[in-house]
Amino acid sequence: MVMGPTHAMSGAALWLAGSAVADIAFGIDQSSAELVVGTIVCAGASLYPDIDCAGKVTENKGGSTVARSFGVASLMVAEVVERLCYWFYLLTKSKKDKPRKNGHRTFTHTFVHAAIVGTGTGYLAYWFGKPAVVAILFVLTGLAVRGLLAETVEKKGWIVVTGVSLVAAYGMFRLLPEGRDYWILGLAMGIGCFIHILGDMITKMGSPLFFPLPIQGRRWKDIGLPKNIALRAGGKEENRILLPILTVLVVIGMLYNLPEIQALLFDQGGRGASN
């Protein structure tokens, strides 16, 4: 599978770029806190679909990056999700769909699932406000930290992830303004899931993006690049080209959204605000 840092960076880069476009083209402005929250949610959500890849729960080993985020607890969730996805695959597959031994890269790697979890996240944030936002942030911050700091967290364990998630959730609770609905978190969640699927589609395995639409008689047709140009997950192209490019884009996006840079670019030498 594509490495956690690549998925997390792609989510963060896309949200920062999208926020810049929304500001320039449609005048949709976000506070610094809102921008940070959206970026964290999108980065974490871009790892979330791999919750269908479980490991060894009793030994706290194996599984995807996201499955190991909170130790045994998240591994147990991944185990349940993988089995549910596998059973759902068996119930819905066509005669031409290939046999599988597990549920990885099935339902959580579809457009339908991205739409469902994005809508659900937006609904929770809209109706329940900051308490729901804090809970969402706690989970997705953990996923983002696990993806972006994979080697560090691998050594220190799930305790670091949980601690950082608690601190971030509390900090956002204090910084975020009252009286907002935060439906935009649902958009960040859906986009993060979708960018994860696109990331997997550039690898040799692909993803069943268009389920349940039948393609060549298969409901679970894996869509991806041709084998001769598809990337090998965790290979040299990902480590030496894709991940550095995404890292640069994230840094540019963060710098662009700084108020000082915005003033420099759009205030015409400091006169824009007064004229």
Side-chain angles (χ1 to χ4, degrees):
M1 63 185 71
V2 175
M3 294 189 305
T6 302
H7 277 313
M9 282 292 185
S10 65
L14 185 62
W15 187 256
L16 289 169
S19 297
V21 171
D23 184 21
I24 295 171
F26 305 105
I28 300 176
D29 189 26
Q30 299 180 72
S31 68
S32 297
E34 290 171 325
L35 184 65
V36 169
V37 167
T39 303
I40 290 173
V41 169
C42 201
S46 65
L47 283 97
Y48 161 75
D50 275 343
I51 195 65
D52 65 358
C53 182
K56 298 179 180 179
V57 178
T58 56
E59 299 179 20
N60 192 15
K61 294 180 179 179
S64 62
T65 299
V66 59
R68 299 192 301 273
S69 296
F70 297 100
V72 173
S74 53
L75 280 171
M76 289 178 66
V77 172
E79 180 72 24
V80 172
V81 172
E82 182 178 339
R83 292 191 181 190
L84 289 174
C85 288
Y86 179 57
W87 292 337
F88 184 68
Y89 175 83
L90 294 178
L91 288 172
T92 58
K93 72 181 184 71
S94 67
K95 293 181 179 179
K96 291 187 177 181
D97 282 312
K98 61 185 180 181
R100 288 179 177 268
K101 296 182 179 180
N102 57 62
H104 181 45
R105 287 204 188 184
T106 53
F107 185 62
T108 62
H109 288 69
T110 65
F111 183 84
V112 172
H113 179 265
I116 290 173
V117 296
T119 302
T121 301
Y123 177 86
L124 289 173
Y126 180 85
W127 286 105
F128 298 100
K130 285 179 68 173
V133 171
V134 170
I136 293 167
L137 272 176
F138 171 75
V139 174
L140 293 179
T141 298
L143 306 191
V145 169
R146 193 65 172 82
L148 293 171
L149 304 175
E151 293 185 3
T152 301
V153 176
E154 186 72 34
K155 297 176 182 178
K156 303 298 182 180
W158 62 271
I159 297 177
V160 174
V161 174
T162 305
V164 171
S165 298
L166 285 171
V167 172
Y170 177 76
M172 290 300 102
F173 180 81
R174 298 297 300 270
L175 290 174
L176 289 175
E178 298 284 354
R180 300 292 291 271
D181 51 52
Y182 299 110
W183 60 266
I184 199 169
L185 293 189
L187 182 62
M189 184 72 182
I191 289 175
C193 290
F194 185 67
I195 197 67
H196 176 104
I197 298 170
L198 294 183
D200 282 352
M201 286 171 60
I202 66 175
T203 66
K204 297 182 182 297
M205 186 174 178
S207 285
L209 173 65
F210 296 113
F211 169 86
L213 298 177
I215 300 175
Q216 298 174 348
R218 296 168 59 183
R219 292 194 186 97
W220 294 94
K221 171 70 175 178
D222 288 323
I223 308 298
L225 295 177
K227 298 293 185 181
N228 59 333
I229 61 172
L231 298 181
R232 183 174 66 83
K236 294 180 179 180
E237 296 86 355
E238 181 180 353
N239 283 295
R240 298 180 182 179
I241 300 176
L242 185 58
L243 186 56
I245 290 174
L246 289 171
T247 303
V248 170
L249 290 176
V250 169
V251 172
I252 292 174
M254 293 171 64
L255 292 174
Y256 174 84
N257 284 285
L258 289 174
E260 295 81 2
I261 301 298
Q262 293 281 310
L264 181 64
L265 292 175
F266 300 112
D267 280 358
Q268 299 178 358
R271 296 174 295 171
S274 59
N275 291 340

